[in-house]
Amino acid sequence: MPDALDRSPTPGTAAPPRTGAVVPVLAFGGIVVSLMQTLVIPIVGQLPQYLNASAADAAWAITATLLAAAVATPVMGRLGDMYGKRRMLLVSMSMLVVGSVVAGLSDSLVPMIVGRALQGLSSGVIPLGISILRDELPAEKLGSATAMISASLGVGGALGLPIAALIADNFDWHMLFWISAGLGVVALVAVASLVPESKVRTGGRFDLPGSVGMAAGLISLLLAISKGGDWGWSSGTTLGLFAAAVLILVGWGLFELRTDQPLVDLRTTVRPQVLITNLASIAIGFAMFSMSLVIPQVLQLPEETGYGLGQSLLMAGLVMAPSGLVMMALAPVSALVSRAKGPKVTLMIGALIVAAGYGLNVVLMSEVWHFVLASCVIGAGIGFTYGAMPTLIMGAVPASETGAANALNTLMRSIGTSVASAVAGVVLAQMTTAFGGFALPSEDAFRTVLALGAGAALLGFVIAAFIPRRREESAAAAGAEGAGEAVGAVKA
């Protein structure tokens, strides 16, 4: 297998300029994908009317994206390792464009669900992009570039809400999807033109039974988490899905261990650095999403409640937007800390910053600027953690498995956000106050969710403390299968 750093057939040719364009192109692709996930938020309440469907059925337009993303992310990562990361990146961006067009043309439930599911299939863009960076960039530039691509997830999510609110208030709702399609085309053309294909491939046979088993287990798990509040946590359907998820995923794991070319190399994932980083990722994913569940709601609740600030959805989006910019601005700082102290330290620092941001928000909830401050502090911490996690993963796996390993890490974060949504839903539904004949989440309910976000961040800090600091693990991992040395300055 060729060395991960042996990229250009003839030094001094056009490869360096193309490589120089890789980071901004991949960052833009990550922003586009995260924008896609946020664009529907302003119209969630109106979807039943737009699609002539019940609220429960219309919610599948959101759930379909979640399920498709959970399945596609690890599959695309593995396919990228096998057949080329750029190729799978182009496939992912194409799914975004096609899904956006289908949703943009839809006026009923079924095509909307199909379009949203196709959009969800694009979620492998960020882990694929990070994997391309490892193959294309020199070690001294990899840390800052990885942090920048990771931050694009937060930037797109933070900017998506005010942009979407502005569009929804002034144009037909279909315009949200046409803009998504247009941005997807731009990203697709940029990737095709400026991102080189990696030489690092594993080849081999795709593990179709493993992908089916993983999909069945993940869909069962995420359906139970995301719909349990609607179906009832003690209902037969919810409990049955949880039981099915456990049985299927255990069986899938045993199958993967006996397969020569598994979808996910479980022996690699149980290496301490990879396993503990993934566990920390679940906690950090929970912490990241908690503020998205609280801040917009409190800002929009009527002032008459005594704790709502009576702001519009657009204003709520504008309050959240600076957090994404902070993530991007601190990406180089995250990389510098990782280079000087190691990504483990960066992850732990980020987790503490996130916890501090939630602590601020628990006590400061009465003014708009309170939420701007808290979201920016939380965003700074998320920027640190999201820059460190891929670096830890890449420091412990061979270059030939980078795509699958990063995709699995992204999936772990997604599971954390799904759990956060479910837990927050229970808290906000149980802790209510009467207002105008309706039951609204109480101020204590919102503070509880914020406190849970802080607790999850502290849990992530504690878990990260157990990540091994031994450099030899990185060298051993990268030396496997002749993939070359691990990322240069990674300290794990």
Side-chain angles (χ1 to χ4, degrees):
M1 179 175 297
D3 192 320
L5 298 179
D6 182 18
R7 304 176 190 99
S8 54
T10 46
T13 64
R18 293 179 68 198
T19 299
V22 166
V23 177
V25 168
L26 295 178
F28 178 71
I31 290 172
V32 170
V33 169
S34 54
L35 273 172
M36 171 273 297
Q37 297 172 342
T38 311
L39 283 177
V40 297
I41 291 178
I43 62 170
V44 166
Q46 289 74 44
L47 275 179
Q49 176 186 345
Y50 293 153
L51 302 175
N52 193 27
S54 67
D57 289 340
W60 283 100
I62 309 299
T63 306
T65 308
L66 168 69
L67 299 180
V71 173
T73 300
V75 169
M76 284 298 181
R78 176 59 178 157
L79 289 173
D81 287 336
M82 294 176 65
Y83 303 120
K85 302 175 184 73
R86 173 180 176 271
R87 180 178 297 174
M88 291 303 109
L89 190 60
L90 291 171
V91 171
S92 296
M93 294 307 305
S94 298
M95 291 297 99
L96 172 65
V97 174
V98 173
S100 299
V101 170
V102 171
L105 293 171
S106 66
D107 285 305
S108 59
L109 182 63
V110 173
M112 173 61 76
I113 292 176
V114 171
R116 289 289 293 162
L118 288 170
Q119 285 185 316
L121 295 178
S122 69
S123 296
V125 163
I126 290 178
L128 284 169
I130 292 172
S131 301
I132 288 173
L133 294 180
R134 182 182 187 181
D135 296 343
E136 300 302 325
L137 296 184
E140 64 271 14
K141 295 182 179 180
L142 182 60
S144 59
T146 299
M148 188 71 69
I149 301 300
S150 297
S152 69
L153 177 65
V155 172
L159 298 181
L161 187 56
I163 293 172
L166 187 64
I167 294 169
D169 286 344
N170 295 280
F171 300 94
D172 179 78
W173 64 276
H174 293 91
M175 184 60 67
L176 295 168
F177 297 103
W178 292 118
I179 288 178
S180 176
L183 292 173
V185 169
V186 173
L188 183 63
V189 172
V191 170
S193 304
L194 299 171
V195 177
E197 182 58 272
S198 168
K199 296 180 180 179
V200 181
R201 311 269 185 93
T202 63
R205 173 181 54 83
F206 180 67
D207 180 17
L208 182 59
S211 64
V212 172
M214 184 202 64
L218 288 176
I219 288 174
S220 298
L221 175 64
L222 292 174
L223 265 181
I225 292 173
S226 61
K227 305 294 285 186
D230 297 330
W231 294 337
W233 293 106
S234 60
S235 70
T237 302
T238 303
L239 295 177
L241 284 171
F242 275 126
V246 172
L247 292 175
I248 293 171
L249 290 175
V250 168
W252 170 78
L254 295 174
F255 175 84
E256 293 292 279
L257 288 172
R258 298 176 182 177
T259 301
D260 292 336
Q261 299 177 29
L263 177 71
V264 177
D265 187 346
L266 295 180
R267 292 178 178 83
T268 297
T269 62
V270 297
R271 289 174 181 164
Q273 184 163 318
V274 178
L275 176 62
I276 299 173
T277 300
N278 282 333
L279 292 176
S281 298
I282 297 175
I284 297 299
F286 186 109
M288 182 201 76
F289 200 59
S290 296
M291 72 169 178
S292 301
L293 299 168
V294 171
I295 295 178
Q297 289 195 63
V298 176
L299 286 169
Q300 293 178 82
L301 284 174
E303 294 182 15
E304 291 78 9
T305 59
Y307 52 91
L309 300 183
Q311 302 295 319
S312 66
L313 179 61
L314 175 59
M315 178 57 71
L318 291 173
V319 168
M320 298 286 289
S323 66
L325 301 178
V326 169
M327 289 184 205
M328 186 68 78
L330 289 182
V333 180
S334 169
L336 288 174
V337 174
S338 292
R339 183 177 299 178
K341 300 295 183 180
K344 171 183 175 177
V345 173
T346 306
L347 178 57
M348 296 174 69
I349 291 173
L352 288 179
I353 295 173
V354 172
Y358 278 112
L360 277 174
N361 212 177
V362 168
V363 298
L364 298 176
M365 290 182 61
S366 59
E367 301 288 344
V368 170
W369 70 267
H370 292 169
F371 292 95
V372 175
L373 173 63
S375 65
C376 284
V377 174
I378 294 168
I382 294 297
F384 269 64
T385 60
Y386 273 28
M389 287 185 285
T391 304
L392 284 164
I393 294 296
M394 290 189 293
V397 302
S400 58
E401 298 178 15
T402 303
N406 275 325
L408 183 63
N409 181 251
T410 300
L411 176 62
M412 294 300 103
R413 286 183 257 173
S414 297
I415 289 175
T417 61
S418 298
V419 173
S421 180
V423 171
V426 172
V427 172
L428 298 179
Q430 295 298 318
M431 301 175 66
T432 61
T433 184
F435 178 77
F438 297 94
L440 296 178
S442 65
E443 184 176 14
D444 287 341
F446 290 117
R447 292 187 191 277
T448 299
V449 175
L450 293 172
L452 289 172
L458 292 175
L459 177 61
F461 171 83
V462 172
I463 294 173
F466 290 93
I467 296 174
R469 297 185 64 90
R470 298 188 302 274
R471 293 176 61 94
E472 58 265 28
E473 275 200 31
S474 298
E481 301 180 18
E485 291 185 354
V487 180
V490 172
K491 298 177 181 179

